[in-house]
Amino acid sequence: MSTDYSSTTQGGWSQTLKRVVVTIFSGLGWLDYFFACVLLGAAIFAEIKFSAYMDGYEQAILFAAVPVLSVLAWGWSPIRNLMIGAAGLALLAIYFYQTPDGGSLARAEQAFFLKYMLSSQSAILWMSVLFCLSTLFYTLAFALRAQALGPTASKLSWAAVLIGVTGMLVRWYESYLLGADIGHIPISNLYEVFILFSLITALFHLYYEARYQSLVLGAFVLWIIVAAVGFILWYSIARGAHQIQPLVPALQSWWMKIHVPANFIGYGTFALAAMVAIAYLLKQKNILADRLPSLELLDDVMYKAIAVGFAFFTIATILGALWAADAWGGYWSWDPKETWALIVWLNYAAWLHMRLMKGLRGVVAAWWALVGLLVTTFAFLGVNMFLSGLHSYGTL
């Protein structure tokens, strides 16, 4: 009996795994496989050329990115186009940075395309302009019922993401032009992570826009990105935050490469859910209701955004604890940033629990998601402004 049960269980797992594999690989064309091979080739090239600058963990992250990015590209082809476009523009920028003696950061003020388009600072400025234009077109399309403006708004948002990702890649390269000991992935301070937040939020919005075939959501979601863009511009002008600085010792770790992106997938999707909640509340109050999608659609987007964000925020919190143990000798120290991260986690854990166990929906769920944005904003920014602790390197 035991043997039969074991073999049956093994057969069940085998069939389940087979179905998962078939689901992933069914419908893939030669371009999908070719793209995966290109990613693998790029990883091998990076390993050969830059292995001296990477430890074993960073090399593992490099090669783990290949299947992750491949599956993302297979599941949503616009991501593949984005990766190809951003990589092409970044390589063009690197080409313009070259001199007979090697790369020079001074070329950013000498080469026309770098100065006005492809240097990291120029690219981020273009990203900011395009996001603002996209928001304007989304809002006009919603306010004036001008459906023809919607596709233009979406294209502008995609263009902003493309040039923004390019700017981040070029900034990464520029940090190494300052010195091999200075070079680092550009997610180390508030300026850089606000850019990351804008890009992640926009990408999730564009995904849900395509999935639900609704151009209305942009009239709400893009405003939180405009707020982030406003902070980026202010932080650049008032504090010179666009200048690349060496990493503080606590951030000189491979943990940063996985903890921070996971964290900001959470922040971005929580923000998106809150902006969708505003649309839900307007619809429920019968304000502009004829211009908004159905309550069921808005509720579904809100739920899925929070579910995805919670999953990644949970991963980020675990990674943060492991990083803290590595850097400071303890998994948890009740540092203000850690405490507020826990508050954010508990807030959305309770939201999902009430949704799944008690069927929470409607106005209460929407208001809760909106209040969650305030909690998340304080954890993201308020702690840096008003509190101090082990994470003081992120202060304003």
Side-chain angles (χ1 to χ4, degrees), residues 247-295:
L247 288 176
V248 299
L251 296 179
Q252 294 173 5
S253 171
W254 60 272
W255 287 104
M256 184 173 71
K257 295 179 175 65
I258 52 178
H259 167 71
V260 175
N263 219 22
F264 278 86
I265 290 175
Y267 284 148
T269 50
F270 294 155
L272 185 150
M275 301 311 288
V276 172
I278 293 175
Y280 186 99
L281 293 169
L282 289 175
K283 178 82 172 183
Q284 197 277 334
K285 290 290 187 181
N286 205 30
I287 300 173
L288 303 173
D290 57 333
R291 306 182 190 189
L292 290 165
S294 68
L295 290 174

Side-chain angles (χ1 to χ4, degrees), residues 30-50:
W30 69 268
L31 186 59
D32 298 301
Y33 291 109
F34 177 74
F35 181 73
C37 290
V38 170
L39 287 177
L40 180 59
I44 293 172
F45 173 80
E47 167 68 18
I48 294 171
K49 190 171 180 63
F50 303 110

Side-chain angles (χ1 to χ4, degrees), residues 124 127 131 157 160-168 192-206 225:
I124 299 308
M127 178 202 77
F131 271 137
S157 190
V161 171
L162 173 62
I163 197 67
V165 172
T166 301
M168 293 289 270
E192 293 168 347
V193 298
F194 260 89
I195 297 169
L196 180 65
F197 168 82
S198 300
L199 295 173
I200 287 174
T201 307
L203 275 173
F204 272 96
H205 161 252
L206 289 165
I225 298 176

